[in-house]
Amino acid sequence: MDDFVRNKLLEWGLSEWVEKFKDEQIDAESLCELDDREIDNLITKAGPRVKFKKKLKLLKLEQEHEEAAGLVQEEQTSNQETVISFQCEQEHEEVPDVVQVLPSTSDTGKRKSDLQSDASRLQSPAKRQRQSMPGFAESIILSDVKNIMTFVHARLNDQDKLSAFLKKKISDLETDKRELVGVFGKTGAGKSSLINAIIKEKNLLPSGSINACTSVMIKLEANTHSSEYEAEIEFITKEEWNDELWSFRQFLRNKKNQDKEDEDYHDAVEKLSALYGEDWRRSFENLMDRKYFKEIPEFLESRRKILTCESANELSAEFVKYTRSDSKQGEGNEGKKWFWPLVKCVTVRVPTNPFLQHVTLVDLPGNGDCNKSRDQMWKGIVGDCSTVWIVTEINRAASEKEAWDILESVSSLIGNGGECQQIHFICTKSDLLDDSDDLSSADVHDLITERNVQATDAIKKEFNKQSKIRKHFTDDSFKVFTVSSKEFLKENYLSPEETEIPKLQRFLQDLNDCHSETVNYVTRAHRILSLIQGAISRGVDSKKGEVCEELERNMSLQLDNVRKEMEDTYTAFKKCLDDGVEKSKCSYGEKLKNFLYDGKNGGAFYNLLKCVVENGGVYKPKKGKPINLNMKLASCLIDSIGAEFRKTFLNEVKCGAFSGVINTFTLNADSLIEEYQNAELQLRFLKTEEEKIEAKLNRIIQKQMKKVYSSLTETVENIMEEGYKKALAFTGEDTLYNMRETIKNHVHSKKDMFEQAKNTMLEKLHDLMVYVLETLEKTMKESIGLSFKAEECLLPDVSTELKMVKKHYDLLVGTPDDEI
C-alpha cells in the first residue's frame, strides 16, 4: 500500500479501512482497477462502500480528464488557445459530495431528417472544426459541464421562487434522446448478419440453423452503465399465457376433424412444443405447474430476467432460447426448452458501441401479434420509429411480395400515425451469384455491381406503383441499399464501401448526433448561469419595466399567430372529415358485402371470420397481409383526412407542426439585446427557454398526433365491439350465415359511428391545440417574470462557473471570446 491510497482514504473519511487496504496490498495502480466484487470484499459496510464507490468514480474521471487533455489539444490548430478546462473537480474539491451527474430521463425523439452523406461540405469551418474533435473529448466536455451544473444545483436554496425555478431548469437539462430504427424482414433474409456487421459485433445475434421466432421483439442499444454485454428479458404475464393456453386448447379441439395444415394450427403446436415438449399432447390440465418454469422463476414472479456476459458470443448463446427455436430436432435437443412463447421483448445492451449511443435498433415482427400486450408494444415501437429498414434478399427484391406487404401493412402506423422520416429498402446477400465459379474476380465484381444497379432501379419503380404506401411517403424519403455482410467482412470481390454497409453505419452515426447533445446541454447550461449572474448584478433594474413590456408585447403577437394557424387547421380538418362522413355512409354497405360475401364460402372463410370477430375485428396471420374490418369501415374517413394530416403534422422535425408556427415563435430576444445591453444575460436565457419549450411541444405534438390519427379507427372499433361479441356467440348450423347477418345489421344500426369518429378526432385535435397554446403562454410568462420581475433573493456567485462553461461553449459553437 502506498501513500497515495492511504491519503485518499483519509481524505475521503474512510480511515478505518486503511489497514484492510494495506493487508490486500492495494496501491495507486490497482486502486482504479477495483471492480464491484473486490470493493464488496474490501469494504463490508454498505454506507462506507457507497461513499467509496462515488469517490473512486470521481477520481477516475479526474484521471481521464488529465489523460485526454493532451489529445484534445492536438486536435486544435497549433496557434489556437486550448480552452478545454478540467478544473471543475479541483475548484469544488471542498464539496465533493455534490459533484455527481444528475439522473437522466429517457425521451425518444428526432433530431435530423436530412442525413445526406455530403452534408459536411455545407458546414461552417467552426462546425467542421468541432466535428474533428474526437468523440471522447466531447464526452469529457459534457461530463465537465454536468458536474459544474450539479455543483451549482446544490448551492441554490429552496427559499424563493427564482431559486426553485433555476433548480428545476438545471434538473431538466439532461435528456437522453434516442432514435428508434425499426428493422423488418422475413426469416432468412439476413437481418441478423446485417445488424451484426453494421454494429461490428460479428457474433451477437444468432443466425444459421436457429430459426427466428417472429413474435419476439429484440432491441439493441448501448450499455452506458457497464462494460458487460447484457440482455434484459421482459415476459408476458402469467394471466396472458393462461388465456393463450385456454385458446390453444379450444382451437386444437375444434381442429381434430378439420384441416391441420393451416398456419394457426402450426403456430399453436410450435409454441406448445417449444415450452412443454410432448407433455401438452397428453394433458392441458397442469401446464401452469411451476416445474415448467424452474429456469425462469422471473416469469412467475412478474419480473424481468437479466443476463450478463463478458463477450457477445457468450450472451448470444445465453439469450437464444428466449428469441428462437432450433430447427434441428432430434439431434441432442430432446427435452431442451425454448422460452420465446413467454417473451414480450428482449433488450440487448452492447458496451462502448458508437453506433448505438443514442440509437436503438429494433428487430420487429411484420404483423404484430395476437397477444394483446405484445401487440400494443409492437404498435408503440413501430409508431415511434424515425426510420424503418425493410430487409429482403436481392434476388427477388422488387417482386418480393412479403416485403411490400409488410411495408404496406405498417405504412399508416409509421406515416401519418407515426414519426417515420425515412424508409430504407435493404437488399441483402448481393454477393450471391449463380454459376460464378468459373469467372474471374473482376468479372464477379462487375456482375455484382451491375445487378445492384438493376435491383435499385427495379425497387424504385415498384415503390412508385405502391399507391397505399405513397399516401404516406414521398420519393425523397425512400432509399435503396444493396448490401453484403459477407463481403464487408471478407472483401473477396467488393471493397467495404461497395458493400454499402459503411453507408448504413454513417447513417447511424449521424442519427446518434452526439455533438448535438453536447452543444444543446452546454448552451442551455451557459444561459442558465448567465441568468443567475445577471440576477446578481441587477444591472437591468432601471429599464426592466421597458424590457418586460417589449417581451410581453412580442409574446402576445406570436401567440396570436399560433392561435390563427390552429383555427385554420381545425376548419380544414372539419371540412375534410365532413366529406369523409358522407362518403362512408354511401360506401359502407359495399365494403361489408365485399368482405362478408363475395366469393367467400365454406369452412376456410368461417375460420377466418371467427378469428376476426374473436380479435375485435382484426386478424393477423403469421404471413401475408393483416385483416382489419374496422379500418375498412373507417377507410373513407382516413383517406379524406390523409393529405391535410400530412400537411399539418410533418414528420420532418425542422419544419414543425401547424405550418411551422411553433418553430417560428420568438420573443425577438436577439434584437432586444442591442437596445438593452444590460439585460443581455437574461435575454439570452429567454432565448434558450424559447428553444426548449419549442422542442418540448414538438415532441408532445409528435406523440399526441398519433392518438388523433388513430382515433378514427379506434372509435369504429369500440362501436363494433358489441356486434363482434354477438356474432361470436353463435354455434351449430347456420353459424356462418348468422355471424354475417349480425355484423351487417349491427353496422346498419350504428351508421352514425362515422359522425362519432369525426367528432372524436376533432375533439382530440382541439384538446391538443389548447394544451400547446396554454403551455407555451404559461412557460414563457413564467420565464419572463422570474428573469425580470423576481423579488430580491439570495443567489450564489457563479462567475467562476460561468467562465468555465463559457470556454466550453465557445469551443463548441465557434464563437469568439469577446462576442458575449
Side-chain angles (χ1 to χ4, degrees):
M1 179 179 181
D2 54 26
D3 290 340
F4 176 82
V5 176
R6 182 192 306 276
N7 292 339
K8 282 297 175 186
L9 291 174
L10 294 174
E11 178 188 329
W12 296 345
L14 299 167
S15 57
E16 64 179 294
W17 303 99
V18 169
E19 289 303 316
K20 180 68 174 175
F21 276 66
K22 182 178 178 181
D23 292 343
E24 297 295 330
Q25 299 181 5
I26 306 298
D27 57 16
E29 182 180 355
S30 58
L31 179 68
C32 289
E33 299 299 323
L34 292 173
D35 60 26
D36 286 347
R37 181 180 58 79
E38 290 162 341
I39 293 171
D40 292 347
N41 291 333
L42 282 166
I43 304 177
T44 54
K45 293 182 181 179
R49 185 166 62 243
V50 170
K51 188 176 182 181
F52 174 82
K53 286 182 178 180
K54 183 172 70 173
K55 301 290 187 182
L56 182 61
K57 183 177 179 182
L58 289 173
L59 176 63
K60 289 179 180 179
L61 185 63
E62 286 176 11
Q63 292 178 347
E64 287 171 5
H65 285 183
E66 291 167 5
E67 290 170 5
L71 291 169
V72 173
Q73 194 170 10
E74 290 172 10
E75 291 294 324
Q76 314 306 316
T77 56
S78 58
N79 62 344
Q80 181 183 10
E81 178 184 49
T82 303
V83 294
I84 296 183
S85 169
F86 304 111
Q87 299 170 0
C88 177
E89 289 75 22
Q90 297 160 3
E91 292 287 333
H92 305 128
E93 197 170 313
E94 66 275 7
V95 284
D97 287 348
V98 300
V99 183
Q100 56 185 326
V101 178
L102 289 174
S104 65
T105 54
S106 179
D107 186 356
T108 304
K110 299 192 287 289
R111 294 178 299 283
K112 282 184 178 276
S113 60
D114 188 16
L115 303 168
Q116 306 298 333
S117 62
D118 61 347
S120 60
R121 294 198 298 270
L122 305 177
Q123 294 167 354
S124 66
K127 184 167 183 179
R128 285 198 297 274
Q129 172 189 309
R130 294 193 304 272
Q131 291 188 334
S132 71
M133 190 185 302
F136 69 84
E138 281 205 5
S139 69
I140 289 170
I141 290 175
L142 186 61
S143 176
D144 208 15
V145 176
K146 284 180 179 179
N147 285 337
I148 291 171
M149 298 310 293
T150 307
F151 175 74
V152 172
H153 183 276
R155 293 174 66 195
L156 290 165
N157 63 58
D158 294 310
Q159 305 305 311
D160 55 79
K161 286 184 179 180
L162 180 55
S163 295
F165 172 79
L166 290 166
K167 292 191 82 162
K168 184 177 186 304
K169 291 300 171 186
I170 294 173
S171 298
D172 290 344
L173 268 175
E174 188 166 352
T175 57
D176 179 21
K177 295 182 178 180
R178 301 204 66 81
E179 298 282 352
L180 280 183
V181 177
V183 187
F184 294 92
K186 69 177 184 180
T187 302
K191 283 190 296 182
S192 297
S193 299
L194 173 70
I195 293 171
N196 287 344
I198 289 172
I199 66 172
K200 295 186 177 181
E201 290 286 355
K202 185 178 178 182
N203 300 312
L204 184 61
L205 295 183
S207 58
S209 65
I210 305 294
N211 285 341
C213 164
T214 55
S215 63
V216 176
M217 288 162 280
I218 303 177
K219 297 181 184 178
L220 288 101
E221 56 190 43
N223 191 345
T224 57
H225 60 268
S226 168
S227 61
E228 292 185 302
Y229 290 81
E230 182 179 292
E232 180 179 315
I233 296 147
E234 182 180 354
F235 299 99
I236 62 174
T237 66
K238 292 178 293 183
E239 293 75 19
E240 286 173 329
W241 181 241
N242 207 18
D243 289 344
E244 282 198 47
L245 288 176
W246 183 88
S247 298
F248 289 155
R249 184 177 187 177
Q250 303 306 312
F251 178 76
L252 293 171
R253 277 179 176 174
N254 294 334
K255 279 288 176 186
K256 283 183 178 178
N257 299 314
Q258 297 178 28
D259 177 24
K260 294 186 178 182
E261 296 303 315
D262 67 34
E263 291 176 1
D264 292 328
Y265 175 82
H266 284 294
D267 186 43
V269 170
E270 186 182 18
K271 285 184 176 180
L272 292 168
S273 299
L275 188 58
Y276 298 109
E278 295 296 308
D279 285 6
W280 69 272
R281 297 183 188 275
R282 291 187 280 272
S283 172
F284 263 84
E285 295 303 321
N286 300 308
L287 294 185
M288 289 300 294
D289 195 293
R290 296 185 73 88
K291 68 180 181 180
Y292 294 112
F293 311 103
K294 285 181 181 178
E295 292 182 52
I296 48 168
E298 295 88 351
F299 167 70
L300 296 175
E301 296 162 7
S302 300
R303 291 189 294 114
R304 299 185 181 194
K305 188 177 186 72
I306 307 292
L307 305 173
T308 55
C309 298
E310 293 186 359
S311 71
N313 213 22
E314 289 177 83
L315 186 69
S316 179
E318 284 288 319
F319 79 78
V320 66
K321 68 177 74 171
Y322 299 96
T323 61
R324 299 183 171 227
S325 290
D326 199 324
S327 61
K328 296 180 179 179
Q329 299 298 327
E331 296 184 17
N333 288 316
E334 297 86 353
K336 188 169 183 178
K337 290 189 177 182
W338 305 90
F339 298 116
W340 58 263
L342 305 176
V343 176
K344 183 191 292 187
C345 178
V346 175
T347 301
V348 178
R349 298 190 178 94
V350 184
T352 58
N353 193 292
F355 302 108
L356 301 174
Q357 203 62 30
H358 302 287
V359 171
T360 298
L361 287 174
V362 194
D363 186 351
L364 289 158
N367 284 342
D369 197 81
C370 58
N371 176 278
K372 286 187 177 179
S373 66
R374 266 199 292 249
D375 195 56
Q376 282 300 114
M377 177 180 275
W378 178 85
K379 284 180 180 176
I381 291 173
V382 170
D384 287 343
C385 289
S386 63
T387 303
V388 162
W389 291 354
I390 304 292
V391 182
T392 187
E393 293 182 53
I394 195 170
N395 55 355
R396 295 179 59 249
S399 58
E400 175 59 62
K401 186 174 185 297
E402 188 169 340
W404 293 107
D405 282 349
I406 289 173
L407 186 51
E408 182 181 317
S409 67
V410 300
S411 59
S412 64
L413 281 173
I414 64 176
N416 282 354
E419 302 178 20
C420 185
Q421 300 169 28
Q422 297 193 55
I423 298 171
H424 293 169
F425 206 96
I426 302 174
C427 307
T428 59
K429 306 179 183 179
S430 67
D431 60 294
L432 295 183
L433 292 173
D434 296 330
D435 304 322
S436 61
D437 294 342
D438 299 329
L439 299 175
S440 68
S441 295
D443 289 338
V444 172
H445 171 276
D446 292 344
L447 284 172
I448 290 173
T449 53
E450 182 182 349
R451 185 177 65 173
N452 288 350
V453 171
Q454 293 172 349
T456 300
D457 290 342
I459 291 164
K460 288 181 177 178
K461 287 178 183 176
E462 186 61 30
F463 175 72
N464 288 329
K465 298 176 186 176
Q466 303 291 325
S467 58
K468 290 185 178 179
I469 299 170
R470 287 178 60 80
K471 287 179 182 177
H472 301 271
F473 298 98
T474 63
D475 291 343
D476 292 339
S477 59
F478 184 80
K479 293 181 174 65
V480 181
F481 295 83
T482 52
V483 306
S484 171
S485 306
K486 182 179 175 183
E487 277 297 299
F488 177 70
L489 298 172
K490 296 189 175 181
E491 299 183 44
N492 291 329
Y493 306 111
L494 302 174
S495 69
E497 194 64 33
E498 287 175 315
T499 68
E500 301 206 342
I501 296 289
K503 284 186 180 180
L504 292 168
Q505 289 177 329
R506 286 194 292 272
F507 172 77
L508 291 184
Q509 285 174 331
D510 284 339
L511 271 187
N512 272 290
D513 200 0
C514 182
H515 165 74
S516 176
E517 182 203 16
T518 304
V519 169
N520 287 340
Y521 188 97
V522 174
T523 300
R524 290 169 183 168
H526 175 260
R527 289 174 179 170
I528 289 172
L529 294 175
S530 297
L531 175 62
I532 297 173
Q533 203 59 28
I536 292 171
S537 67
R538 292 291 173 187
V540 73
D541 279 359
S542 60
K543 290 190 175 182
K544 69 179 181 181
E546 291 179 33
V547 182
C548 285
E549 285 181 16
E550 284 283 345
L551 289 167
E552 288 171 351
R553 187 182 304 115
N554 290 341
M555 181 178 69
S556 179
L557 290 171
Q558 292 291 311
L559 287 171
D560 286 343
N561 291 341
V562 176
R563 192 175 291 108
K564 174 67 168 58
E565 182 60 38
M566 288 181 168
E567 288 170 355
D568 292 345
T569 296
Y570 187 89
T571 301
F573 265 58
K574 186 176 184 306
K575 184 176 183 299
C576 293
L577 288 168
D578 284 339
D579 182 54
V581 169
E582 293 307 310
K583 288 180 178 176
S584 297
K585 289 178 179 178
C586 295
S587 64
Y588 77 86
E590 190 66 25
K591 291 181 189 299
L592 276 176
K593 181 184 174 187
N594 289 339
F595 176 73
L596 293 172
Y597 293 99
D598 282 1
K600 297 169 181 175
N601 291 305
F605 182 67
Y606 165 76
N607 289 331
L608 186 148
L609 185 58
K610 189 171 183 184
C611 287
V612 169
V613 297
E614 278 179 336
N615 292 286
V618 181
Y619 173 59
K620 296 188 174 183
K622 209 166 185 183
K623 293 180 182 178
K625 296 180 183 180
I627 296 167
N628 191 327
L629 180 54
N630 307 311
M631 194 170 282
K632 287 180 188 291
L633 292 170
S635 59
C636 288
L637 282 168
I638 295 169
D639 290 345
S640 73
I641 203 65
E644 189 63 35
F645 200 94
R646 275 195 305 282
K647 175 184 157 189
T648 303
F649 299 109
L650 287 168
N651 277 337
E652 284 82 6
V653 175
K654 64 180 181 180
C655 301
F658 301 108
S659 300
V661 73
I662 306 295
N663 288 359
T664 57
F665 178 94
T666 178
L667 298 176
N668 289 322
D670 287 337
S671 62
L672 290 174
I673 288 173
E674 298 176 13
E675 187 177 350
Y676 301 101
Q677 292 183 8
N678 286 341
E680 178 181 358
L681 296 177
Q682 288 93 329
L683 290 169
R684 289 199 181 279
F685 169 76
L686 288 175
K687 180 67 178 174
T688 298
E689 287 300 282
E690 267 179 32
E691 294 165 357
K692 191 172 180 181
I693 190 60
E694 286 167 9
K696 176 184 175 182
L697 289 175
N698 278 325
R699 289 195 299 270
I700 289 170
I701 290 169
Q702 209 168 50
K703 299 298 178 189
Q704 293 302 315
M705 73 169 193
K706 291 183 263 187
K707 295 181 180 179
V708 174
Y709 186 77
S710 63
S711 65
L712 294 174
T713 304
E714 287 175 1
T715 303
V716 171
E717 182 180 335
N718 292 336
I719 292 170
M720 288 296 297
E721 185 178 0
E722 182 187 352
Y724 295 140
K725 287 180 178 178
K726 288 179 181 178
L728 190 60
F730 290 105
T731 58
E733 292 184 17
D734 299 326
T735 297
L736 178 57
Y737 171 81
N738 290 329
M739 289 171 73
R740 283 168 163 163
E741 289 297 301
T742 300
I743 292 171
K744 183 178 72 174
N745 292 335
H746 182 77
V747 176
H748 284 315
S749 68
K750 301 286 185 180
K751 57 187 176 184
D752 64 334
M753 66 181 170
F754 305 116
E755 190 73 29
Q756 289 184 46
K758 177 198 84 172
N759 292 336
T760 300
M761 174 176 266
L762 290 175
E763 183 181 339
K764 287 183 180 293
L765 178 66
H766 178 264
D767 290 346
L768 174 59
M769 292 172 172
V770 169
Y771 175 83
V772 169
L773 271 168
E774 288 181 349
T775 303
L776 187 56
E777 182 174 12
K778 179 183 175 185
T779 303
M780 295 316 300
K781 266 187 178 178
E782 181 185 30
S783 298
I784 293 170
L786 289 169
S787 298
F788 290 99
K789 297 179 180 179
E791 297 176 359
E792 289 290 335
C793 55
L794 187 62
L795 293 174
D797 183 345
V798 294
S799 55
T800 302
E801 290 81 359
L802 178 58
K803 184 178 178 182
M804 289 195 297
V805 171
K806 184 179 177 299
K807 284 185 177 181
H808 291 314
Y809 173 77
D810 289 343
L811 176 64
L812 288 167
V813 303
T815 305
D817 283 352
D818 58 354
E819 183 178 309
I820 299 177

